[in-house]
Amino acid sequence: MVTRLSASDSAFYRLENSSTPMYVGSLSIVRKPRGGLSYESVLATVEQRLPQIPRYRQKVREVSLGLARPVWVDDTDFDITYHVRRSALPSPGSDAQLHDLIARIGSRPMDKSRPLWEMYIVEGLARNRIAIYTKSHQALVNGMSALEIGHVIADRTQKAPEFGEDIWIPAREPSDRQLFVAALGEWVTRPTAQVAAARSAVQEMATNAGALVDAGRRIADVARTVARGTAPSSPLNTTVSRNRRFTVAAHPLEDYRALRARYECDVNDVVLAVVAGALRNWLLSRGEPVTATSTVRAMAPNSVYPDAEIDSAGPGQAISEVSPFLVDLPIGEGNAVVRLSQIAHATESHSTAASLVDARTIVTLSGFAPPTLHAMGIRVATSFSARQFNLLITNVPGAQKQMYIAGTKLLESYAVPPLLTNQVLAISVTSYNGMLYFGINADRDAMSDVDVLPALLRESLDELLESTR
């Protein structure tokens, strides 16, 4: 089946360069069963779920002379063993060694002649654990009709649900001439197609929002976002190299809920305040000037409810959109509680605050939604100029109960966000099973000290907790 890339998917496909590949990554840590976790069992799990993510068996074909957007075509030579790979650390492998491996794998370019995804099963990790790292091109994941692979391989029970036999027969791949002729045909009909596309876009906005007035409100939000202008000058914004550093942090979700209750705010407000405190101390440790009015502007996309009732029949159906949200983190404020208060006020004034998705309702989604939600947040962020914000922070809720991958317990879940142009740090936060997991991706050259951030995040959280005692 031949389908032309949407305008946004095409933009992602062409937007990347060797320094800023547009890959969304996911790192899952699972418990190694007594009998081990075989490559074949993971391979079978992925193969069973491919019908839910048909893009993962398709590749991108360019049209001659760039006459039209590229197209998705079935990969007639699809080989799942090329995409699902084995790797190992020298046993017993440390978390630091795993993070170095993820940083290297995550920055490698993918073969554009094949479907744009890879999965690595990393063995040898200490404490009887196995890591599963996936990376998918951002063009693959739009959040509704195309989900991230990490979304569909997770199960709510140790015994995987039954899947019918998948008999997949790839469609014949079109020739360059056929693609060129089809593109010429679209040029002839372009005026009609443009009108139809515009009408479809307006209808989709109205449908997602439930009413035209809501669509107008969201357009106004975007206008206000754009009107805020260029982000403050920051060491976070400089040339991005091809190499990365990756690290993680994990905090009890209960600590954030206690602060939410104490200060009558949202968990996301507390997350942003903790990040603000960590960035403040990171800048001070570098000898950077931090004044009382210093801020760092973050793009912190919000996942929001659709206006229609939640349909739990299929994965992805309970989230209709992710809303952009620019917030100035008050890193110049020395009082942690005041920082939280300022952030909570900014969030409360944002029009989508009343419809934020939380961890209590995300469990109605089948599969494990965070990988897809992070990808949607990144998609929203890249629709704005990177000059408008200093860093990207995605924060999405996951299931608050035990999940499984290939019958093994999912212990930890981290997103690995891409770096955007001239942004040397990106943070993705996932709540899962009573914990908050911070995935921290940074440029290897510009942030050689990124490994201090987990400790600074812990210190920032402790500072807030101390204020409640």
Side-chain angles (χ1 to χ4, degrees):
M1 180 180 179
V2 178
T3 308
R4 197 166 302 287
L5 271 68
S6 68
S8 58
D9 290 343
S10 179
F12 284 118
Y13 183 74
R14 290 172 169 157
L15 178 66
E16 66 178 1
N17 56 49
S18 59
S19 296
T20 54
M22 294 307 299
Y23 307 151
V24 56
S26 178
L27 175 62
S28 301
I29 309 297
V30 301
R31 174 69 65 201
K32 183 179 179 181
R34 289 183 180 178
L37 177 63
S38 69
Y39 171 78
E40 289 73 21
S41 63
V42 176
L43 196 69
T45 297
V46 174
E47 201 160 20
Q48 288 175 337
R49 316 302 166 93
L50 286 177
Q52 299 180 50
I53 44 174
R55 287 279 184 264
Y56 280 69
R57 288 192 286 207
Q58 294 184 313
K59 61 183 180 180
V60 177
R61 281 277 306 276
E62 297 271 5
V63 178
S64 299
L65 304 178
L67 197 61
R69 295 194 300 270
V71 295
W72 297 107
V73 300
D74 289 347
D75 182 7
T76 55
D77 298 318
F78 180 73
D79 177 8
I80 192 171
T81 60
Y82 170 84
H83 296 276
V84 182
R85 307 171 181 183
R86 299 182 74 171
S87 185
L89 300 171
S91 184
S94 67
D95 287 354
Q97 290 173 318
L98 173 64
H99 300 158
D100 285 344
L101 177 63
I102 299 306
R104 290 196 301 272
I105 294 174
S107 58
R108 291 176 189 163
M110 285 193 277
D111 183 354
K112 287 192 172 183
S113 69
R114 295 176 180 268
L116 299 172
W117 66 280
E118 297 171 358
M119 175 181 288
Y120 295 82
I121 304 165
V122 184
E123 300 171 290
L125 193 58
R127 303 200 303 277
N128 212 30
R129 298 170 300 156
I130 295 174
I132 300 175
Y133 170 66
T134 65
K135 71 174 183 179
S136 304
H137 198 287
Q138 185 68 52
L140 274 179
V141 187
N142 65 21
M144 293 301 290
S145 61
L147 306 177
E148 206 271 347
I149 191 169
H151 190 146
V152 300
I153 64 171
D155 300 311
R156 299 180 188 178
T157 59
Q158 190 167 13
K159 183 180 179 181
E162 295 292 332
F163 289 89
E165 184 179 4
D166 173 38
I167 302 176
W168 180 69
I169 301 176
R172 179 177 296 179
E173 188 172 338
S175 66
D176 289 340
R177 181 179 180 277
Q178 288 173 316
L179 292 177
F180 186 78
V181 170
L184 281 177
E186 290 187 15
W187 271 90
V188 172
T189 60
R190 172 162 292 202
T192 303
Q194 285 181 326
V195 171
R199 183 184 302 117
S200 175
V202 171
Q203 290 173 345
E204 182 178 2
M205 287 179 62
T207 300
N208 282 344
L212 283 171
V213 65
D214 287 341
R217 172 176 54 78
R218 291 188 176 112
I219 290 172
D221 287 343
V222 171
R224 283 192 292 270
T225 296
V226 172
R228 298 179 73 166
T230 304
S233 177
S234 170
L236 295 171
N237 305 114
T238 187
T239 303
V240 178
S241 72
R242 297 185 179 186
N243 303 311
R244 301 288 183 265
R245 294 182 189 270
F246 179 71
T247 189
V248 306
H251 297 164
L253 179 57
E254 190 55 41
D255 288 345
Y256 287 76
R257 287 174 169 166
L259 289 165
R260 175 188 64 183
R262 173 65 176 81
Y263 293 110
E264 298 182 347
C265 59
D266 188 79
V267 166
N268 188 56
D269 300 332
V270 183
V271 169
L272 293 175
V274 167
V275 172
L279 290 177
R280 169 186 168 83
N281 290 330
W282 172 72
L283 289 169
L284 290 172
S285 72
R286 283 191 159 202
E288 297 287 345
V290 177
T291 68
T293 58
S294 294
T295 60
V296 166
R297 184 174 298 165
M299 169 63 81
N302 292 320
S303 304
V304 300
Y305 286 124
D307 288 338
E309 291 186 8
I310 291 176
D311 174 13
S312 60
Q317 295 305 307
I319 307 297
S320 70
E321 64 181 79
V322 172
S323 171
F325 177 42
L326 284 181
V327 56
D328 290 327
L329 304 180
I331 60 169
E333 174 55 59
N335 186 300
V337 176
V338 175
R339 282 197 300 269
L340 174 58
S341 175
Q342 292 176 357
I343 291 170
H345 177 74
T347 302
E348 188 177 17
S349 63
H350 188 56
S351 60
T352 59
S355 57
L356 296 182
V357 176
D358 64 25
R360 296 185 299 276
T361 58
I362 201 71
V363 294
T364 63
L365 290 169
S366 60
F368 189 62
T372 296
L373 294 176
H374 281 299
M376 292 172 69
I378 295 162
R379 180 174 286 253
V380 164
T382 52
S383 66
F384 292 85
S385 168
R387 291 177 296 179
Q388 290 183 266
F389 53 99
N390 301 111
L391 81 159
L392 170 66
I393 303 173
T394 60
N395 176 22
V396 305
Q400 296 307 305
K401 67 174 186 176
Q402 184 65 59
M403 300 289 288
Y404 301 85
I405 296 178
T408 63
K409 285 186 176 181
L410 175 60
L411 302 178
E412 304 167 41
S413 178
Y414 301 95
V416 186
L419 298 186
L420 306 183
T421 303
N422 293 331
Q423 294 187 5
V424 299
L425 177 66
I427 301 173
S428 288
V429 187
T430 305
S431 68
Y432 163 62
N433 201 22
M435 295 291 290
L436 279 181
Y437 295 106
F438 292 73
I440 305 166
N441 200 19
D443 182 77
R444 187 172 188 85
D445 299 332
M447 286 200 66
S448 58
D449 56 349
V450 69
D451 285 339
V452 306
L453 274 185
L456 294 178
L457 287 167
R458 183 69 245 184
E459 290 176 11
S460 182
L461 175 60
D462 287 343
E463 188 179 4
L464 279 169
L465 290 171
E466 186 64 30
S467 69
T468 66
R469 299 186 181 115

